[in-house]
Amino acid sequence: MKDIYTESILLIERLHRRFLDVVKTELDRLKIDDINNVQTLILYNISSEQLTIGELTNRGYYLGSNVSYNVKKLVENSYLMQERAPHDKRSTRIKLSEKGLQLCKRIDELYQRNVELISKEMDRTALETLNKTLTQLEHFWTYYIDNIHKIK
């Protein structure tokens, strides 16, 4: 069981890196070089919402320092707009600019092409089963983290 568990962890890590390669390949195809693949996924996860950096970190499971750096770069390259929150002047909210919205539209087209291609290899039930299994693993890790002090 330990071998299978370890293989699963390594596979998840490889799959994430491979998907980042997919996004990078799309950026190269579109001749977009002022944003990287991680920043592109941050934009895609923001979508039409207005978020604080803390909310983005919590929702996207990004490392806090990386989010701050990437948000700064996204603002500098005009993909994001940053504004002070009206209720708390210490807090800033971010939202996509027109340039960011256009890139998200292109990435959504990539996702749609991927769906059409993967549908030929895997059926909906297989992906639903995969998602259920990954969600169970996420819940297990969350439970473990929350209860480590009780586990002996």
Side-chain angles (χ1 to χ4, degrees):
M1 183 73 166
K2 182 180 176 190
D3 292 345
I4 296 169
Y5 177 71
T6 303
E7 182 181 353
S8 297
I9 294 168
L10 294 174
L11 184 56
I12 291 166
E13 187 179 351
R14 279 197 321 267
L15 287 170
H16 178 66
R17 282 195 314 267
R18 183 57 58 190
F19 183 70
L20 288 174
D21 291 343
V22 167
V23 174
K24 175 67 172 127
T25 300
E26 184 67 5
L27 293 172
D28 291 346
R29 188 183 75 76
L30 295 170
K31 296 181 177 27
I32 297 173
D33 61 2
D34 61 345
I35 187 171
N36 66 35
N37 47 11
V38 171
Q39 293 164 350
T40 301
L41 291 181
I42 290 172
L43 281 184
Y44 193 79
N45 288 326
I46 294 171
S47 186
S48 62
E49 296 187 73
Q50 283 192 12
L51 304 171
T52 65
I53 291 176
E55 291 168 333
L56 181 61
T57 302
N58 290 338
R59 291 182 186 190
Y61 307 104
Y62 308 104
L63 297 175
S65 61
N66 290 343
V67 170
S68 296
Y69 169 80
N70 284 317
V71 165
K72 179 182 174 207
K73 288 299 193 185
L74 290 166
V75 170
E76 286 174 7
N77 289 320
S78 303
Y79 287 99
L80 281 180
M81 296 184 301
Q82 204 168 14
E83 52 192 42
R84 295 265 176 226
H87 62 282
D88 182 357
K89 297 299 180 196
R90 296 168 296 165
S91 178
T92 60
R93 301 194 71 72
I94 53 176
K95 67 179 183 179
L96 272 59
S97 66
E98 186 58 37
K99 184 178 179 181
L101 289 167
Q102 289 302 315
L103 178 56
C104 280
K105 182 179 177 211
R106 304 298 293 269
I107 296 304
D108 196 57
E109 292 167 1
L110 165 68
Y111 277 40
Q112 186 57 44
R113 284 192 313 274
N114 278 204
V115 167
E116 290 166 9
L117 291 170
I118 202 167
S119 299
K120 297 173 183 173
E121 303 293 323
M122 296 177 74
D123 65 11
R124 181 182 185 95
T125 304
L127 280 174
E128 287 172 343
T129 301
L130 172 63
N131 289 345
K132 182 178 178 185
T133 301
L134 291 172
T135 300
Q136 287 174 319
L137 186 57
E138 178 186 24
H139 289 161
F140 166 75
W141 284 338
T142 300
Y143 177 83
Y144 183 86
I145 291 166
D146 292 345
N147 294 285
I148 185 63
H149 61 282
K150 298 175 188 174
I151 300 171
K152 294 184 180 184

